[in-house]
Amino acid sequence: MTADDHAAVLKVWSKRHRDLGRARNQVACRLRAVLCELVPGGIPKEITAAKAAAVPEQAEPSGAVEAARELAAEFLEDLRRSGVQMRETKKKLAVVVKAAGTTLTEIFGAGPVVAATVIGAVTDVSRFPGRDHFAAYNGTAPIEVSSGNRKIYRLPGRGNRRLNHAVHMAAVTQIRHRHSNGRAYYDRKLAEGKTHKEALRSLKRRISDAIFARLHADARRAASAATIEGPGGQPGNDTDASAAGSHPENRIFGQATPGPESTLRPATP
């Protein structure tokens, strides 16, 4: 399977995972709305599927409550089914990502889903002359919106939104884990007087540059392997990829990407 084939497959499966996630969020919101009707005072924003199953038992028995219980049970079943589908899709993504031989997953917060989204959206990194062009394409290159003597920069609303979301998820994951280098970088920006949005924007651009370096290193290694390998040959070395990971500008890497929390609605920083 060629690099283009890998990109096409990953694009399809990452879209499938994204669609399942959206459908699951819709079901979670509807389930929570039903549970709020059953329990006086509502329920917490963060609730697991197991706790959601126990909520209808707390309601006072009546005809309307029984109907609401049935509806909640159906939503809960849909929620569990979509969770299983998302896990299966993620496993398939992991297999194809591994087969692609990418080093994107060495970036802390970039698991199989993020890597698949990036590869599927970029396809060929050589079409970007530099990291600034890549940042402009994924929407992490800030634009100036200054007013008077005060200089203000914000992220544009244009660009590839799927790729921008992948970078955003990697940044949020790094911020959530205090041991990550990305969280240390974020804290330094806050100490410099930056707001949360400004610090997050800086981190997203830093991750964008790291992704661009990894994609280029992977492309060079693949080209070198194709040249040296031939029929029955051996793949070339990955010196370029190792150098990209060890460079001070790209030190946002970790050993593993943590899995998602088992909540109906993931928390945002």
mmCIF file of all heavy atoms in Angstrom, residues 175-203:
data_model
loop_
_atom_site.group_PDB
_atom_site.id
_atom_site.type_symbol
_atom_site.label_atom_id
_atom_site.label_comp_id
_atom_site.label_asym_id
_atom_site.label_seq_id
_atom_site.Cartn_x
_atom_site.Cartn_y
_atom_site.Cartn_z
ATOM 1 N N ILE A 175 -2.052 20.034 27.898
ATOM 2 C CA ILE A 175 -2.344 20.928 29.017
ATOM 3 C C ILE A 175 -2.939 20.156 30.193
ATOM 4 O O ILE A 175 -2.665 20.462 31.356
ATOM 5 C CB ILE A 175 -3.303 22.045 28.555
ATOM 6 C CG1 ILE A 175 -2.586 22.985 27.571
ATOM 7 C CG2 ILE A 175 -3.818 22.854 29.743
ATOM 8 C CD1 ILE A 175 -3.485 24.040 26.964
ATOM 9 N N ARG A 176 -3.729 19.144 29.904
ATOM 10 C CA ARG A 176 -4.367 18.369 30.967
ATOM 11 C C ARG A 176 -3.357 17.558 31.779
ATOM 12 O O ARG A 176 -3.629 17.216 32.927
ATOM 13 C CB ARG A 176 -5.402 17.417 30.370
ATOM 14 C CG ARG A 176 -6.686 18.103 29.946
ATOM 15 C CD ARG A 176 -7.638 17.086 29.347
ATOM 16 N NE ARG A 176 -8.916 17.706 28.979
ATOM 17 C CZ ARG A 176 -9.887 17.077 28.331
ATOM 18 N NH1 ARG A 176 -9.716 15.815 27.979
ATOM 19 N NH2 ARG A 176 -11.017 17.698 28.036
ATOM 20 N N HIS A 177 -2.228 17.224 31.200
ATOM 21 C CA HIS A 177 -1.241 16.382 31.884
ATOM 22 C C HIS A 177 -0.034 17.227 32.275
ATOM 23 O O HIS A 177 0.747 17.662 31.421
ATOM 24 C CB HIS A 177 -0.836 15.217 30.986
ATOM 25 C CG HIS A 177 -1.964 14.255 30.730
ATOM 26 N ND1 HIS A 177 -2.956 14.503 29.799
ATOM 27 C CD2 HIS A 177 -2.277 13.066 31.311
ATOM 28 C CE1 HIS A 177 -3.817 13.503 29.807
ATOM 29 N NE2 HIS A 177 -3.435 12.627 30.717
ATOM 30 N N ARG A 178 0.090 17.454 33.577
ATOM 31 C CA ARG A 178 1.098 18.375 34.090
ATOM 32 C C ARG A 178 2.525 17.917 33.849
ATOM 33 O O ARG A 178 3.452 18.722 33.909
ATOM 34 C CB ARG A 178 0.870 18.598 35.591
ATOM 35 C CG ARG A 178 -0.464 19.267 35.896
ATOM 36 C CD ARG A 178 -0.633 19.565 37.377
ATOM 37 N NE ARG A 178 -1.889 20.235 37.646
ATOM 38 C CZ ARG A 178 -2.079 21.548 37.507
ATOM 39 N NH1 ARG A 178 -1.073 22.319 37.134
ATOM 40 N NH2 ARG A 178 -3.258 22.090 37.768
ATOM 41 N N HIS A 179 2.730 16.626 33.618
ATOM 42 C CA HIS A 179 4.090 16.134 33.403
ATOM 43 C C HIS A 179 4.574 16.337 31.968
ATOM 44 O O HIS A 179 5.735 16.086 31.658
ATOM 45 C CB HIS A 179 4.162 14.639 33.738
ATOM 46 C CG HIS A 179 3.360 13.778 32.797
ATOM 47 N ND1 HIS A 179 1.993 13.647 32.909
ATOM 48 C CD2 HIS A 179 3.738 13.026 31.735
ATOM 49 C CE1 HIS A 179 1.562 12.835 31.952
ATOM 50 N NE2 HIS A 179 2.598 12.442 31.227
ATOM 51 N N SER A 180 3.685 16.779 31.073
ATOM 52 C CA SER A 180 4.074 16.940 29.671
ATOM 53 C C SER A 180 4.857 18.232 29.470
ATOM 54 O O SER A 180 4.673 19.223 30.186
ATOM 55 C CB SER A 180 2.835 16.947 28.770
ATOM 56 O OG SER A 180 2.065 18.117 28.978
ATOM 57 N N ASN A 181 5.734 18.218 28.466
ATOM 58 C CA ASN A 181 6.496 19.422 28.130
ATOM 59 C C ASN A 181 5.583 20.511 27.576
ATOM 60 O O ASN A 181 5.860 21.704 27.715
ATOM 61 C CB ASN A 181 7.585 19.085 27.106
ATOM 62 C CG ASN A 181 8.674 18.217 27.683
ATOM 63 O OD1 ASN A 181 8.890 18.224 28.899
ATOM 64 N ND2 ASN A 181 9.351 17.456 26.849
ATOM 65 N N GLY A 182 4.492 20.080 26.940
ATOM 66 C CA GLY A 182 3.532 21.063 26.437
ATOM 67 C C GLY A 182 2.880 21.842 27.557
ATOM 68 O O GLY A 182 2.647 23.048 27.430
ATOM 69 N N ARG A 183 2.573 21.166 28.685
ATOM 70 C CA ARG A 183 2.003 21.868 29.834
ATOM 71 C C ARG A 183 3.013 22.836 30.430
ATOM 72 O O ARG A 183 2.655 23.951 30.835
ATOM 73 C CB ARG A 183 1.556 20.855 30.895
ATOM 74 C CG ARG A 183 1.018 21.498 32.175
ATOM 75 C CD ARG A 183 -0.127 22.469 31.888
ATOM 76 N NE ARG A 183 -0.535 23.196 33.062
ATOM 77 C CZ ARG A 183 -1.557 22.833 33.844
ATOM 78 N NH1 ARG A 183 -2.269 21.747 33.559
ATOM 79 N NH2 ARG A 183 -1.881 23.536 34.896
ATOM 80 N N ALA A 184 4.290 22.450 30.464
ATOM 81 C CA ALA A 184 5.325 23.347 30.968
ATOM 82 C C ALA A 184 5.440 24.587 30.085
ATOM 83 O O ALA A 184 5.597 25.715 30.585
ATOM 84 C CB ALA A 184 6.658 22.614 31.050
ATOM 85 N N TYR A 185 5.359 24.395 28.778
ATOM 86 C CA TYR A 185 5.407 25.521 27.847
ATOM 87 C C TYR A 185 4.196 26.429 28.040
ATOM 88 O O TYR A 185 4.316 27.660 28.050
ATOM 89 C CB TYR A 185 5.447 24.983 26.412
ATOM 90 C CG TYR A 185 5.436 26.047 25.340
ATOM 91 C CD1 TYR A 185 6.599 26.695 24.952
ATOM 92 C CD2 TYR A 185 4.243 26.393 24.701
ATOM 93 C CE1 TYR A 185 6.578 27.673 23.968
ATOM 94 C CE2 TYR A 185 4.214 27.368 23.719
ATOM 95 C CZ TYR A 185 5.383 27.997 23.355
ATOM 96 O OH TYR A 185 5.363 28.959 22.386
ATOM 97 N N TYR A 186 3.024 25.832 28.222
ATOM 98 C CA TYR A 186 1.794 26.584 28.457
ATOM 99 C C TYR A 186 1.899 27.409 29.741
ATOM 100 O O TYR A 186 1.522 28.594 29.764
ATOM 101 C CB TYR A 186 0.634 25.605 28.526
ATOM 102 C CG TYR A 186 -0.678 26.187 28.973
ATOM 103 C CD1 TYR A 186 -1.508 26.875 28.090
ATOM 104 C CD2 TYR A 186 -1.107 26.032 30.294
ATOM 105 C CE1 TYR A 186 -2.728 27.383 28.513
ATOM 106 C CE2 TYR A 186 -2.322 26.539 30.716
ATOM 107 C CZ TYR A 186 -3.125 27.221 29.824
ATOM 108 O OH TYR A 186 -4.332 27.731 30.240
ATOM 109 N N ASP A 187 2.427 26.808 30.808
ATOM 110 C CA ASP A 187 2.577 27.514 32.080
ATOM 111 C C ASP A 187 3.558 28.681 31.959
ATOM 112 O O ASP A 187 3.372 29.731 32.588
ATOM 113 C CB ASP A 187 3.043 26.549 33.171
ATOM 114 C CG ASP A 187 1.944 25.578 33.578
ATOM 115 O OD1 ASP A 187 0.762 25.887 33.336
ATOM 116 O OD2 ASP A 187 2.272 24.502 34.131
ATOM 117 N N ARG A 188 4.611 28.486 31.171
ATOM 118 C CA ARG A 188 5.576 29.584 30.969
ATOM 119 C C ARG A 188 4.904 30.767 30.277
ATOM 120 O O ARG A 188 5.163 31.925 30.619
ATOM 121 C CB ARG A 188 6.770 29.107 30.144
ATOM 122 C CG ARG A 188 7.723 28.194 30.883
ATOM 123 C CD ARG A 188 9.087 28.139 30.209
ATOM 124 N NE ARG A 188 9.008 27.721 28.822
ATOM 125 C CZ ARG A 188 9.047 26.453 28.422
ATOM 126 N NH1 ARG A 188 9.125 25.480 29.319
ATOM 127 N NH2 ARG A 188 8.997 26.148 27.147
ATOM 128 N N LYS A 189 4.048 30.492 29.332
ATOM 129 C CA LYS A 189 3.341 31.567 28.641
ATOM 130 C C LYS A 189 2.395 32.300 29.586
ATOM 131 O O LYS A 189 2.263 33.532 29.518
ATOM 132 C CB LYS A 189 2.559 31.000 27.443
ATOM 133 C CG LYS A 189 3.449 30.535 26.297
ATOM 134 C CD LYS A 189 4.260 31.686 25.743
ATOM 135 C CE LYS A 189 5.182 31.253 24.633
ATOM 136 N NZ LYS A 189 5.992 32.394 24.101
ATOM 137 N N LEU A 190 1.738 31.571 30.470
ATOM 138 C CA LEU A 190 0.879 32.216 31.461
ATOM 139 C C LEU A 190 1.694 33.087 32.395
ATOM 140 O O LEU A 190 1.260 34.185 32.778
ATOM 141 C CB LEU A 190 0.111 31.150 32.262
ATOM 142 C CG LEU A 190 -0.935 30.323 31.521
ATOM 143 C CD1 LEU A 190 -1.588 29.336 32.473
ATOM 144 C CD2 LEU A 190 -1.987 31.217 30.871
ATOM 145 N N ALA A 191 2.890 32.597 32.781
ATOM 146 C CA ALA A 191 3.765 33.368 33.664
ATOM 147 C C ALA A 191 4.253 34.645 32.990
ATOM 148 O O ALA A 191 4.557 35.632 33.667
ATOM 149 C CB ALA A 191 4.952 32.510 34.106
ATOM 150 N N GLU A 192 4.318 34.640 31.666
ATOM 151 C CA GLU A 192 4.739 35.832 30.925
ATOM 152 C C GLU A 192 3.623 36.863 30.806
ATOM 153 O O GLU A 192 3.836 37.952 30.252
ATOM 154 C CB GLU A 192 5.199 35.426 29.523
ATOM 155 C CG GLU A 192 6.479 34.586 29.511
ATOM 156 C CD GLU A 192 6.794 34.049 28.127
ATOM 157 O OE1 GLU A 192 6.057 34.404 27.171
ATOM 158 O OE2 GLU A 192 7.765 33.290 27.998
ATOM 159 N N GLY A 193 2.447 36.531 31.325
ATOM 160 C CA GLY A 193 1.330 37.466 31.268
ATOM 161 C C GLY A 193 0.324 37.162 30.176
ATOM 162 O O GLY A 193 -0.614 37.946 29.963
ATOM 163 N N LYS A 194 0.479 36.030 29.493
ATOM 164 C CA LYS A 194 -0.455 35.663 28.440
ATOM 165 C C LYS A 194 -1.770 35.169 29.059
ATOM 166 O O LYS A 194 -1.792 34.625 30.157
ATOM 167 C CB LYS A 194 0.122 34.551 27.565
ATOM 168 C CG LYS A 194 1.458 34.878 26.914
ATOM 169 C CD LYS A 194 1.307 35.888 25.808
ATOM 170 C CE LYS A 194 2.629 36.072 25.060
ATOM 171 N NZ LYS A 194 2.506 37.085 23.965
ATOM 172 N N THR A 195 -2.851 35.346 28.335
ATOM 173 C CA THR A 195 -4.130 34.789 28.758
ATOM 174 C C THR A 195 -4.174 33.309 28.375
ATOM 175 O O THR A 195 -3.291 32.802 27.675
ATOM 176 C CB THR A 195 -5.294 35.524 28.084
ATOM 177 O OG1 THR A 195 -5.228 35.306 26.658
ATOM 178 C CG2 THR A 195 -5.234 37.013 28.365
ATOM 179 N N HIS A 196 -5.218 32.624 28.849
ATOM 180 C CA HIS A 196 -5.346 31.206 28.504
ATOM 181 C C HIS A 196 -5.408 31.017 26.995
ATOM 182 O O HIS A 196 -4.730 30.135 26.435
ATOM 183 C CB HIS A 196 -6.606 30.635 29.154
ATOM 184 C CG HIS A 196 -7.094 29.366 28.514
ATOM 185 N ND1 HIS A 196 -6.409 28.173 28.622
ATOM 186 C CD2 HIS A 196 -8.186 29.121 27.723
ATOM 187 C CE1 HIS A 196 -7.064 27.232 27.943
ATOM 188 N NE2 HIS A 196 -8.130 27.783 27.396
ATOM 189 N N LYS A 197 -6.208 31.830 26.311
ATOM 190 C CA LYS A 197 -6.347 31.687 24.864
ATOM 191 C C LYS A 197 -5.030 31.976 24.149
ATOM 192 O O LYS A 197 -4.674 31.295 23.180
ATOM 193 C CB LYS A 197 -7.452 32.619 24.348
ATOM 194 C CG LYS A 197 -8.856 32.174 24.727
ATOM 195 C CD LYS A 197 -9.895 33.066 24.073
ATOM 196 C CE LYS A 197 -11.306 32.582 24.400
ATOM 197 N NZ LYS A 197 -12.341 33.444 23.757
ATOM 198 N N GLU A 198 -4.293 32.983 24.616
ATOM 199 C CA GLU A 198 -3.017 33.318 23.991
ATOM 200 C C GLU A 198 -1.996 32.212 24.192
ATOM 201 O O GLU A 198 -1.249 31.860 23.270
ATOM 202 C CB GLU A 198 -2.494 34.641 24.548
ATOM 203 C CG GLU A 198 -3.311 35.850 24.137
ATOM 204 C CD GLU A 198 -2.899 37.119 24.862
ATOM 205 O OE1 GLU A 198 -2.289 37.013 25.950
ATOM 206 O OE2 GLU A 198 -3.185 38.218 24.343
ATOM 207 N N ALA A 199 -1.962 31.655 25.402
ATOM 208 C CA ALA A 199 -1.025 30.565 25.684
ATOM 209 C C ALA A 199 -1.397 29.317 24.882
ATOM 210 O O ALA A 199 -0.518 28.617 24.362
ATOM 211 C CB ALA A 199 -1.018 30.247 27.177
ATOM 212 N N LEU A 200 -2.681 29.029 24.775
ATOM 213 C CA LEU A 200 -3.134 27.878 23.995
ATOM 214 C C LEU A 200 -2.810 28.071 22.519
ATOM 215 O O LEU A 200 -2.380 27.126 21.842
ATOM 216 C CB LEU A 200 -4.640 27.692 24.180
ATOM 217 C CG LEU A 200 -5.296 26.562 23.372
ATOM 218 C CD1 LEU A 200 -4.695 25.215 23.743
ATOM 219 C CD2 LEU A 200 -6.804 26.560 23.588
ATOM 220 N N ARG A 201 -2.977 29.291 22.046
ATOM 221 C CA ARG A 201 -2.655 29.587 20.652
ATOM 222 C C ARG A 201 -1.170 29.367 20.368
ATOM 223 O O ARG A 201 -0.798 28.779 19.344
ATOM 224 C CB ARG A 201 -3.040 31.029 20.337
ATOM 225 C CG ARG A 201 -2.782 31.430 18.887
ATOM 226 C CD ARG A 201 -3.287 32.836 18.627
ATOM 227 N NE ARG A 201 -2.558 33.816 19.402
ATOM 228 C CZ ARG A 201 -3.118 34.805 20.073
ATOM 229 N NH1 ARG A 201 -4.430 34.925 20.108
ATOM 230 N NH2 ARG A 201 -2.384 35.692 20.720
ATOM 231 N N SER A 202 -0.314 29.788 21.290
ATOM 232 C CA SER A 202 1.126 29.587 21.124
ATOM 233 C C SER A 202 1.470 28.095 21.131
ATOM 234 O O SER A 202 2.306 27.638 20.344
ATOM 235 C CB SER A 202 1.890 30.299 22.243
ATOM 236 O OG SER A 202 1.668 31.695 22.201
ATOM 237 N N LEU A 203 0.822 27.344 22.013
ATOM 238 C CA LEU A 203 1.083 25.909 22.085
ATOM 239 C C LEU A 203 0.617 25.209 20.812
ATOM 240 O O LEU A 203 1.304 24.310 20.303
ATOM 241 C CB LEU A 203 0.382 25.317 23.308
ATOM 242 C CG LEU A 203 0.547 23.803 23.510
ATOM 243 C CD1 LEU A 203 2.017 23.418 23.628
ATOM 244 C CD2 LEU A 203 -0.229 23.342 24.745
#
